[in-house]
Amino acid sequence: MKKSLVLAILLQLLNFNFQFSTFAQVASESEMLVPQKVGNDEMIAVFAGDVLDGEYEIAVESSSSMFKITKALLSVKNGEMTVKITMSGKSYTKLFLGTALEASEAKGGYIEQSETSPVIFELPVSGLNVPIKCAAFSSKKKKWYDRDILFDASSLPETSLVLSPVRQQKIPLKDGSYFCDVKLSGGSGRAGVKSPAKILVKDGLATSEIEWSSSTYDYMKVNREKYDLVNKDGISEGENSKFLIPVFAFDKKMPVLADTIAMSEPHEILYFLEFNLESARKDKGFPLLPLVVCLVVCGVILAGCARIKKSMR
């Protein structure tokens, strides 16, 4: 009985020492300072499939001025993203994707420096425009610090993205119907769209009617949402493909996917539409004055014909 009691006490002491050691490695709230918020509610999460393969310098936000990143290089390949971050100093010797407490309890999964002068860490990234928990180990304090970092997709080249990385842009136009100049780029360069395009504004948000130069497009995608043909019964002979899509941004390239059936198999093609807000002009419909004049002239002609017919009887 005494032996089992002693053993239980020893186990409790060992567990206490382990917990004490673990918490001793985690910086307190006062040591971490008040974290700054990274990102904002206007951002849309961007994943590896939303970015074309390549290497890009990308803007990065940090929740702490003590965890300053001077440069971030994003690499996208085969559906995976990694980022090399260059630190402003040499305070941190390793990182961990998770909280400081998780890092102190972990048996592995630490990210060591890939280069030491300057200090560079290479880490996998699941998504852009989303806060990432990242614990950093201080070489001086021997403690883990909680940090949040965020990689800003809007800083990437417009033509590298398959979607718009921010919420739909509001425009300073009253509700109503307008015409707006639009340019198409991307694809093979053979396709075209009708310009000016008709846009409808409601509550500051715009929707555009896009008419292609052919009838071979059967749907479009804008920010992962699918949009079918305006004419759901099919395209008549001589008609072109038409779609109603949201306009996420003006005066910059807006990525869209259009599915063509012109090839042996249906194929989604990445295009970019650029709407010129300055060119937007009110849709006045059919001019009223010419219509009135036309009706008056027709009335006069008909009245004259009636008089002539009457005089001939």
Side-chain angles (χ1 to χ4, degrees):
M1 184 71 178
K2 289 182 179 180
K3 288 183 179 180
S4 61
L5 181 62
V6 171
L7 183 60
I9 293 172
L10 287 173
L11 288 173
Q12 287 289 342
L13 287 171
L14 287 171
N15 184 52
F16 174 79
N17 287 332
F18 172 77
Q19 290 183 347
F20 179 79
S21 175
T22 296
F23 283 110
Q25 282 193 311
V26 179
S28 65
E29 289 185 10
S30 59
E31 289 177 299
M32 291 191 197
L33 305 178
V34 178
Q36 301 170 357
K37 181 182 177 181
V38 294
N40 59 68
D41 295 336
E42 296 301 308
M43 291 179 165
I44 291 176
V46 175
F47 304 106
D50 303 320
V51 188
L52 301 182
D53 284 5
E55 285 194 346
Y56 313 95
E57 193 164 336
I58 187 170
V60 58
E61 297 180 29
S62 170
S63 63
S64 174
S65 58
M66 304 301 290
F67 189 74
K68 188 175 181 181
I69 300 169
T70 59
K71 183 179 179 180
L73 187 65
L74 173 70
S75 177
V76 185
K77 188 176 181 181
N78 299 329
E80 294 183 351
M81 294 190 293
T82 57
V83 177
K84 287 183 178 179
I85 55 174
T86 303
M87 308 303 298
S88 63
K90 300 183 178 181
S91 302
Y92 303 103
T93 54
K94 55 186 175 181
L95 304 180
F96 181 83
L97 293 180
T99 66
L101 181 59
E102 289 170 340
S104 66
E105 294 176 341
K107 303 299 182 183
Y110 302 117
I111 300 170
E112 307 289 345
Q113 298 171 351
S114 60
E115 294 182 38
T116 56
S117 187
V119 172
I120 295 177
F121 293 98
E122 184 172 0
L123 53 148
V125 179
S126 58
L128 312 177
N129 284 0
V130 290
I132 299 170
K133 293 289 182 186
C134 179
F137 189 76
S138 168
S139 57
K140 183 178 180 181
K141 300 289 183 70
K142 305 300 180 185
K143 291 183 178 181
W144 287 98
Y145 287 77
D146 277 320
R147 303 294 185 228
D148 287 336
I149 54 176
L150 179 142
F151 299 98
D152 186 356
S154 66
S155 66
L156 297 177
E158 294 172 351
T159 52
S160 69
L161 293 167
V162 181
L163 55 76
S164 297
V166 293
R167 302 292 174 192
Q168 189 173 0
Q169 174 187 343
K170 284 203 168 187
I171 56 175
L173 293 177
K174 294 181 179 179
D175 287 4
S177 179
Y178 298 82
F179 284 101
C180 179
D181 293 345
V182 59
K183 291 181 181 177
L184 177 76
S185 57
S188 64
R190 293 194 296 269
V193 294
K194 185 178 179 180
S195 181
K198 191 171 184 176
I199 62 172
L200 301 173
V201 179
K202 185 176 182 182
D203 299 327
L205 299 177
T207 301
S208 177
E209 182 180 90
I210 295 296
E211 180 177 344
W212 291 84
S213 57
S214 77
S215 60
T216 60
Y217 296 97
D218 59 347
Y219 67 80
M220 291 181 67
K221 284 183 180 177
V222 182
N223 278 37
R224 305 189 188 103
E225 289 291 326
K226 183 179 176 182
Y227 297 88
D228 293 318
L229 290 161
V230 171
N231 185 353
K232 291 183 171 56
D233 297 327
I235 303 172
S236 302
E237 187 175 350
E239 274 191 309
N240 291 325
S241 299
K242 294 180 184 178
F243 303 90
L244 281 175
I245 63 170
V247 181
F248 268 75
F250 284 80
D251 301 318
K252 64 184 299 183
K253 294 182 186 297
M254 185 184 88
V256 299
L257 290 169
D259 187 72
T260 178
I261 55 175
M263 305 179 194
S264 56
E265 293 183 358
H267 185 66
E268 288 184 356
I269 300 176
L270 176 62
Y271 293 100
F272 300 92
L273 295 171
E274 187 171 358
F275 295 87
N276 185 339
L277 184 58
E278 189 178 353
S279 70
R281 55 270 193 194
K282 193 76 174 176
D283 178 10
K284 297 179 181 179
F286 193 83
L288 183 59
L289 183 59
L291 177 61
V292 173
V293 171
C294 182
L295 290 174
V296 170
V297 170
C298 289
V300 171
I301 292 173
L302 289 172
C305 290
R307 283 197 298 271
I308 293 171
K309 185 181 289 188
K310 188 176 181 181
S311 64
M312 290 176 66
R313 289 178 181 173

